[in-house]
């Protein structure tokens, strides 16, 4: 069974930074593509950034150049460094495989406001 846990969310002002972390269990983490997703209030859950097992990355257009996804296959963790945050980045952020499995973690809230 896949186990996913997100942490590191919080509040930031526009232009600020936050760093999210994800721990995964129950999967061959080092062999699978992973991704960060986000869901704003009343919106669908969308992919934000993905990373292949070898580190190849892909970003949604609105976060490219501001967010950096990374992974540590030994520690079985994945991170999302978010810089130059904007109010429209406000959402609950989730980690999952890419494409996602049906099992989701609780997510971590990110709120960007002045």
């Amino acid at each position: 069974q896949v186990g996913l846990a997100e942490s590191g969310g919080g509040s930031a002002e526009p232009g600020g930074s936050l760093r999210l972390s994800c721990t995964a269990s129950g999967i061959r983490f080092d062999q699978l593509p992973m991704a960060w997703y986000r869901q704003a209030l009343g919106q669908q859950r969308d992919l934000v950034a993905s990373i292949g097992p070898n580190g190849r990355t892909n970003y949604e257009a609105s976060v490219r150049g501001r967010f950096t996804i990374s992974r540590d296959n030994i520690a079985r963790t994945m991170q999302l460094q978010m810089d130059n945050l904007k109010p429209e980045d406000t959402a609950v952020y989730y980690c999952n495989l890419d494409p996602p499995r049906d099992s989701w973690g609780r997510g971590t809230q990110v709120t960007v406001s002045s």
Side-chain angles (χ1 to χ4, degrees), residues 4-90:
L4 299 163
E6 303 89 355
S7 63
S11 296
E13 294 185 348
S17 297
L18 287 171
R19 185 175 179 84
L20 307 183
S21 186
C22 167
T23 58
S25 61
I27 58 174
R28 294 295 301 269
F29 183 86
D30 61 337
Q31 297 183 6
L32 296 170
M34 299 291 296
W36 285 98
Y37 303 81
R38 66 185 178 187
Q39 186 170 23
L41 190 63
Q43 304 297 316
Q44 66 181 19
R45 185 154 41 200
D46 293 324
L47 186 143
V48 174
S50 62
I51 184 167
N54 60 357
R56 182 171 182 173
T57 59
N58 188 46
Y59 297 92
E60 191 269 327
S62 71
V63 308
R64 193 174 296 125
R66 301 188 297 120
F67 290 10
T68 303
I69 189 172
S70 60
R71 65 190 293 163
D72 183 334
N73 286 339
I74 295 176
R76 303 169 65 86
T77 61
M78 179 176 66
Q79 292 75 38
L80 186 68
Q81 176 67 40
M82 304 186 295
D83 298 316
N84 191 20
L85 284 162
K86 302 178 179 181
E88 52 264 41
D89 296 321
T90 296

Side-chain angles (χ1 to χ4, degrees), residues 93-111:
Y93 285 70
Y94 302 88
C95 63
N96 208 316
L97 282 73
D98 181 23
R101 299 279 178 88
D102 290 339
S103 177
W104 293 85
R106 297 169 61 90
T108 186
Q109 176 70 47
V110 170
T111 302

